[in-house]
PDB file of all heavy atoms in Angstrom:
ATOM      1  N   ILE P 131      -4.860   9.683 -21.884  1.00  0.00           N
ATOM      2  CA  ILE P 131      -3.752   8.879 -21.418  1.00  0.00           C
ATOM      3  C   ILE P 131      -3.371   7.785 -22.402  1.00  0.00           C
ATOM      4  O   ILE P 131      -2.638   6.843 -22.096  1.00  0.00           O
ATOM      5  CB  ILE P 131      -3.997   8.249 -20.038  1.00  0.00           C
ATOM      6  CG1 ILE P 131      -5.273   7.386 -20.102  1.00  0.00           C
ATOM      7  CG2 ILE P 131      -4.092   9.295 -18.921  1.00  0.00           C
ATOM      8  CD1 ILE P 131      -5.464   6.404 -18.899  1.00  0.00           C
ATOM      9  N   SER P 132      -3.876   7.946 -23.652  1.00  0.00           N
ATOM     10  CA  SER P 132      -3.610   6.845 -24.617  1.00  0.00           C
ATOM     11  C   SER P 132      -2.499   7.157 -25.614  1.00  0.00           C
ATOM     12  O   SER P 132      -1.930   6.242 -26.190  1.00  0.00           O
ATOM     13  CB  SER P 132      -4.909   6.529 -25.338  1.00  0.00           C
ATOM     14  OG  SER P 132      -5.326   7.694 -26.152  1.00  0.00           O
ATOM     15  N   GLN P 133      -2.197   8.443 -25.772  1.00  0.00           N
ATOM     16  CA  GLN P 133      -1.200   8.819 -26.772  1.00  0.00           C
ATOM     17  C   GLN P 133       0.228   8.865 -26.158  1.00  0.00           C
ATOM     18  O   GLN P 133       0.379   9.255 -25.000  1.00  0.00           O
ATOM     19  CB  GLN P 133      -1.507  10.166 -27.397  1.00  0.00           C
ATOM     20  CG  GLN P 133      -2.832  10.238 -28.121  1.00  0.00           C
ATOM     21  CD  GLN P 133      -2.995   9.114 -29.148  1.00  0.00           C
ATOM     22  OE1 GLN P 133      -2.103   8.936 -29.989  1.00  0.00           O
ATOM     23  NE2 GLN P 133      -4.051   8.376 -29.081  1.00  0.00           N
ATOM     24  N   PRO P 134       1.252   8.472 -26.954  1.00  0.00           N
ATOM     25  CA  PRO P 134       2.620   8.428 -26.420  1.00  0.00           C
ATOM     26  C   PRO P 134       3.049   9.717 -25.701  1.00  0.00           C
ATOM     27  O   PRO P 134       3.663   9.706 -24.672  1.00  0.00           O
ATOM     28  CB  PRO P 134       3.464   8.157 -27.672  1.00  0.00           C
ATOM     29  CG  PRO P 134       2.540   7.424 -28.594  1.00  0.00           C
ATOM     30  CD  PRO P 134       1.189   7.951 -28.344  1.00  0.00           C
ATOM     31  N   GLU P 135       2.714  10.923 -26.324  1.00  0.00           N
ATOM     32  CA  GLU P 135       3.176  12.131 -25.687  1.00  0.00           C
ATOM     33  C   GLU P 135       2.490  12.376 -24.355  1.00  0.00           C
ATOM     34  O   GLU P 135       3.083  12.933 -23.420  1.00  0.00           O
ATOM     35  CB  GLU P 135       2.958  13.333 -26.670  1.00  0.00           C
ATOM     36  CG  GLU P 135       1.498  13.664 -27.015  1.00  0.00           C
ATOM     37  CD  GLU P 135       0.967  12.892 -28.237  1.00  0.00           C
ATOM     38  OE1 GLU P 135       1.584  11.867 -28.591  1.00  0.00           O
ATOM     39  OE2 GLU P 135      -0.008  13.333 -28.818  1.00  0.00           O
ATOM     40  N   ASN P 136       1.250  11.933 -24.216  1.00  0.00           N
ATOM     41  CA  ASN P 136       0.512  12.056 -22.922  1.00  0.00           C
ATOM     42  C   ASN P 136       1.127  11.121 -21.902  1.00  0.00           C
ATOM     43  O   ASN P 136       1.244  11.468 -20.699  1.00  0.00           O
ATOM     44  CB  ASN P 136      -0.975  11.763 -23.108  1.00  0.00           C
ATOM     45  CG  ASN P 136      -1.639  12.693 -24.129  1.00  0.00           C
ATOM     46  OD1 ASN P 136      -2.208  12.242 -25.100  1.00  0.00           O
ATOM     47  ND2 ASN P 136      -1.572  13.985 -23.869  1.00  0.00           N
ATOM     48  N   ILE P 137       1.445   9.923 -22.336  1.00  0.00           N
ATOM     49  CA  ILE P 137       2.053   8.909 -21.474  1.00  0.00           C
ATOM     50  C   ILE P 137       3.409   9.474 -20.920  1.00  0.00           C
ATOM     51  O   ILE P 137       3.730   9.365 -19.760  1.00  0.00           O
ATOM     52  CB  ILE P 137       2.239   7.562 -22.162  1.00  0.00           C
ATOM     53  CG1 ILE P 137       0.821   6.932 -22.350  1.00  0.00           C
ATOM     54  CG2 ILE P 137       3.131   6.644 -21.390  1.00  0.00           C
ATOM     55  CD1 ILE P 137       0.790   5.686 -23.188  1.00  0.00           C
ATOM     56  N   LEU P 138       4.181  10.052 -21.814  1.00  0.00           N
ATOM     57  CA  LEU P 138       5.490  10.650 -21.390  1.00  0.00           C
ATOM     58  C   LEU P 138       5.282  11.818 -20.426  1.00  0.00           C
ATOM     59  O   LEU P 138       6.070  11.962 -19.479  1.00  0.00           O
ATOM     60  CB  LEU P 138       6.307  11.077 -22.622  1.00  0.00           C
ATOM     61  CG  LEU P 138       6.856   9.928 -23.515  1.00  0.00           C
ATOM     62  CD1 LEU P 138       7.534  10.526 -24.763  1.00  0.00           C
ATOM     63  CD2 LEU P 138       7.849   9.064 -22.737  1.00  0.00           C
ATOM     64  N   ALA P 139       4.255  12.599 -20.636  1.00  0.00           N
ATOM     65  CA  ALA P 139       3.938  13.711 -19.736  1.00  0.00           C
ATOM     66  C   ALA P 139       3.592  13.192 -18.340  1.00  0.00           C
ATOM     67  O   ALA P 139       4.055  13.756 -17.338  1.00  0.00           O
ATOM     68  CB  ALA P 139       2.788  14.585 -20.292  1.00  0.00           C
ATOM     69  N   VAL P 140       2.810  12.104 -18.275  1.00  0.00           N
ATOM     70  CA  VAL P 140       2.479  11.466 -17.009  1.00  0.00           C
ATOM     71  C   VAL P 140       3.742  10.997 -16.311  1.00  0.00           C
ATOM     72  O   VAL P 140       3.916  11.220 -15.112  1.00  0.00           O
ATOM     73  CB  VAL P 140       1.503  10.314 -17.241  1.00  0.00           C
ATOM     74  CG1 VAL P 140       1.348   9.469 -15.993  1.00  0.00           C
ATOM     75  CG2 VAL P 140       0.123  10.823 -17.676  1.00  0.00           C
ATOM     76  N   ALA P 141       4.597  10.346 -17.070  1.00  0.00           N
ATOM     77  CA  ALA P 141       5.823   9.788 -16.493  1.00  0.00           C
ATOM     78  C   ALA P 141       6.749  10.918 -15.902  1.00  0.00           C
ATOM     79  O   ALA P 141       7.310  10.789 -14.830  1.00  0.00           O
ATOM     80  CB  ALA P 141       6.604   8.994 -17.575  1.00  0.00           C
ATOM     81  N   ARG P 142       6.775  12.020 -16.689  1.00  0.00           N
ATOM     82  CA  ARG P 142       7.588  13.173 -16.223  1.00  0.00           C
ATOM     83  C   ARG P 142       7.063  13.718 -14.916  1.00  0.00           C
ATOM     84  O   ARG P 142       7.817  13.973 -13.985  1.00  0.00           O
ATOM     85  CB  ARG P 142       7.600  14.230 -17.308  1.00  0.00           C
ATOM     86  CG  ARG P 142       8.645  15.324 -17.143  1.00  0.00           C
ATOM     87  CD  ARG P 142       8.824  16.167 -18.432  1.00  0.00           C
ATOM     88  NE  ARG P 142       7.548  16.710 -18.894  1.00  0.00           N
ATOM     89  CZ  ARG P 142       7.037  16.496 -20.105  1.00  0.00           C
ATOM     90  NH1 ARG P 142       7.634  15.670 -20.933  1.00  0.00           N
ATOM     91  NH2 ARG P 142       5.874  17.046 -20.466  1.00  0.00           N
ATOM     92  N   GLN P 143       5.762  13.811 -14.864  1.00  0.00           N
ATOM     93  CA  GLN P 143       5.051  14.328 -13.653  1.00  0.00           C
ATOM     94  C   GLN P 143       5.326  13.426 -12.459  1.00  0.00           C
ATOM     95  O   GLN P 143       5.397  13.843 -11.352  1.00  0.00           O
ATOM     96  CB  GLN P 143       3.524  14.346 -14.002  1.00  0.00           C
ATOM     97  CG  GLN P 143       2.687  15.216 -13.087  1.00  0.00           C
ATOM     98  CD  GLN P 143       3.046  16.698 -13.169  1.00  0.00           C
ATOM     99  OE1 GLN P 143       3.306  17.259 -14.239  1.00  0.00           O
ATOM    100  NE2 GLN P 143       3.070  17.348 -12.020  1.00  0.00           N
ATOM    101  N   ALA P 144       5.484  12.089 -12.741  1.00  0.00           N
ATOM    102  CA  ALA P 144       5.702  11.112 -11.646  1.00  0.00           C
ATOM    103  C   ALA P 144       7.176  11.024 -11.260  1.00  0.00           C
ATOM    104  O   ALA P 144       7.532  10.283 -10.372  1.00  0.00           O
ATOM    105  CB  ALA P 144       5.221   9.730 -12.123  1.00  0.00           C
ATOM    106  N   GLY P 145       8.037  11.856 -11.907  1.00  0.00           N
ATOM    107  CA  GLY P 145       9.439  11.922 -11.479  1.00  0.00           C
ATOM    108  C   GLY P 145      10.393  11.016 -12.257  1.00  0.00           C
ATOM    109  O   GLY P 145      11.552  10.843 -11.864  1.00  0.00           O
ATOM    110  N   LEU P 146       9.908  10.448 -13.349  1.00  0.00           N
ATOM    111  CA  LEU P 146      10.780   9.574 -14.166  1.00  0.00           C
ATOM    112  C   LEU P 146      11.640  10.429 -15.097  1.00  0.00           C
ATOM    113  O   LEU P 146      11.116  11.441 -15.631  1.00  0.00           O
ATOM    114  CB  LEU P 146       9.949   8.588 -14.970  1.00  0.00           C
ATOM    115  CG  LEU P 146       9.434   7.323 -14.282  1.00  0.00           C
ATOM    116  CD1 LEU P 146       8.210   7.662 -13.470  1.00  0.00           C
ATOM    117  CD2 LEU P 146       9.105   6.250 -15.306  1.00  0.00           C
ATOM    118  N   SER P 147      12.844  10.038 -15.325  1.00  0.00           N
ATOM    119  CA  SER P 147      13.734  10.764 -16.216  1.00  0.00           C
ATOM    120  C   SER P 147      13.261  10.523 -17.628  1.00  0.00           C
ATOM    121  O   SER P 147      12.590   9.537 -17.945  1.00  0.00           O
ATOM    122  CB  SER P 147      15.157  10.253 -16.113  1.00  0.00           C
ATOM    123  OG  SER P 147      15.279   8.964 -16.633  1.00  0.00           O
ATOM    124  N   ALA P 148      13.631  11.452 -18.555  1.00  0.00           N
ATOM    125  CA  ALA P 148      13.214  11.345 -19.945  1.00  0.00           C
ATOM    126  C   ALA P 148      13.757  10.035 -20.548  1.00  0.00           C
ATOM    127  O   ALA P 148      13.064   9.348 -21.329  1.00  0.00           O
ATOM    128  CB  ALA P 148      13.773  12.566 -20.727  1.00  0.00           C
ATOM    129  N   GLU P 149      14.958   9.690 -20.129  1.00  0.00           N
ATOM    130  CA  GLU P 149      15.612   8.477 -20.649  1.00  0.00           C
ATOM    131  C   GLU P 149      14.856   7.221 -20.268  1.00  0.00           C
ATOM    132  O   GLU P 149      14.599   6.337 -21.093  1.00  0.00           O
ATOM    133  CB  GLU P 149      17.034   8.452 -20.100  1.00  0.00           C
ATOM    134  CG  GLU P 149      17.927   7.386 -20.699  1.00  0.00           C
ATOM    135  CD  GLU P 149      19.292   7.275 -19.966  1.00  0.00           C
ATOM    136  OE1 GLU P 149      19.481   7.990 -18.977  1.00  0.00           O
ATOM    137  OE2 GLU P 149      20.135   6.487 -20.395  1.00  0.00           O
ATOM    138  N   LEU P 150      14.491   7.160 -19.013  1.00  0.00           N
ATOM    139  CA  LEU P 150      13.775   6.024 -18.410  1.00  0.00           C
ATOM    140  C   LEU P 150      12.413   5.872 -19.095  1.00  0.00           C
ATOM    141  O   LEU P 150      11.966   4.788 -19.451  1.00  0.00           O
ATOM    142  CB  LEU P 150      13.591   6.234 -16.914  1.00  0.00           C
ATOM    143  CG  LEU P 150      13.530   4.982 -16.055  1.00  0.00           C
ATOM    144  CD1 LEU P 150      14.916   4.459 -15.882  1.00  0.00           C
ATOM    145  CD2 LEU P 150      12.943   5.368 -14.701  1.00  0.00           C
TER     146      LEU P 150
END
Side-chain angles (χ1 to χ4, degrees):
I131 56 166
S132 64
Q133 300 307 309
E135 64 273 19
N136 302 121
I137 289 173
L138 289 174
V140 168
R142 195 165 54 238
Q143 199 63 41
L146 280 80
S147 71
E149 189 187 4
L150 210 76

